[in-house]
Amino acid sequence: GLNPAEMVGKPLAELFEAGFHHSQLAPALAHAWQGQRHKADIAFGGRIFEARMLPFRYDAGGRVAQVLSMSTDVTEERAQQALYQAIATEFPNGSISVFSPGLRFEHVSGQDLEAQGLEAGQFMGTYLKDWLPAALYAQYEAHYARAWAGEAVRFEAAFGSNVYDMMVRPLSVGPGGQAERILAVAVNQTERRA
C-alpha cells in the first residue's frame, strides 16, 4: 500500500517500520552509499523483492549524494529455486539447471557439480557457451533449440571425461507456445558405462 507520490522526499525510516528498515534496508543501502553497486533479496509484506541499489549522484566532494534503488518481485522465482535446490540435494550423480533465453544460467544445483570441482555460484549469470568448447556447444545448442520450441528432448552428452544423460524441457511457456525458460537435468552415467 505505498503510493509513489507520497514517498518522494521522505526518509525510508518514515515509510517503513523501524525493524524492517534497520534489519534489511539499511544494510543493503550501505553498500550504495559507499559507492558500490549492490543486490539483495528483501522480504516485505509476505513477498520477496530483489532490490538493486547503486550510487546515482555525487556531491562536489565526490561523496554519494543520491542512491537509486529498483526492486522486482521474485517471490515465485525464489520458491522455484528452493524447490530445485531441495531436489538437487537428493540427486547424487547429476545436476539441475534452469536457463533463460540465450542459454543464460538462472539456477544450477546438484551434487555432481562438487564432484567435478565446481560450485553453483560460478555459473550464475553466465551462459552455457562460456563453459563449453565451441563444437560441443553447437551440439548442445541444437538439442536445446528443440526445447525452446516446446519439445521435451533427451540426448547423451560428453563433458570432460564424463558422459551424461541429458533431459531438457520447457519449464515455462509463453502465450505463443514458445518456452520462456527451460529445465535441463544431467545424470552422470560415466560409472555405469565403465
Side-chain angles (χ1 to χ4, degrees):
L2 295 174
N3 180 339
E6 295 172 358
M7 296 173 69
V8 175
K10 290 189 179 176
L12 290 174
E14 285 181 27
L15 297 170
F16 300 103
E17 61 186 58
F20 170 75
H21 176 260
H22 292 294
S23 68
Q24 293 191 66
L25 283 180
L29 284 166
H31 293 278
W33 286 114
Q34 294 170 6
Q36 305 164 6
R37 292 174 176 245
H38 187 68
K39 180 172 73 170
D41 280 359
I42 306 238
F44 180 73
R47 309 291 296 168
I48 300 172
F49 295 88
E50 180 181 88
R52 295 174 184 260
M53 293 145 257
L54 59 138
F56 185 61
R57 289 211 170 112
Y58 295 85
D59 64 16
R63 293 179 301 263
V64 176
Q66 289 183 333
V67 168
L68 176 63
S69 176
M70 301 159 284
S71 62
T72 304
D73 187 339
V74 294
T75 306
E76 285 79 18
E77 182 180 327
R78 294 300 185 262
Q80 285 181 344
Q81 288 174 347
L83 175 62
Y84 305 144
Q85 186 64 42
I87 292 168
T89 299
E90 302 303 321
F91 191 34
N93 64 332
S95 64
I96 295 173
S97 303
V98 176
F99 294 95
S100 60
L103 294 176
R104 183 175 184 264
F105 285 98
E106 281 191 8
H107 175 87
V108 181
S109 56
Q111 293 180 19
D112 192 59
L113 294 173
E114 291 178 21
Q116 305 305 321
L118 300 168
E119 294 180 21
Q122 294 174 276
F123 292 88
M124 299 313 294
T126 66
Y127 295 83
L128 184 60
K129 67 181 176 186
D130 298 332
W131 294 91
L132 300 174
L136 185 56
Y137 174 75
Q139 293 173 15
Y140 274 64
E141 188 179 35
H143 294 293
Y144 283 46
R146 293 170 48 204
W148 287 114
E151 184 180 342
V153 182
R154 189 171 190 163
F155 63 99
E156 188 174 278
F159 183 72
S161 61
N162 294 296
V163 177
Y164 291 90
D165 186 15
M166 301 290 300
M167 292 153 280
V168 184
R169 63 175 301 117
L171 182 61
S172 58
V173 179
Q178 193 77 4
E180 295 174 336
R181 296 182 343 185
I182 60 173
L183 172 71
V185 176
V187 179
N188 192 331
Q189 298 290 333
T190 307
E191 288 183 13
R192 290 184 183 164
R193 303 279 167 99

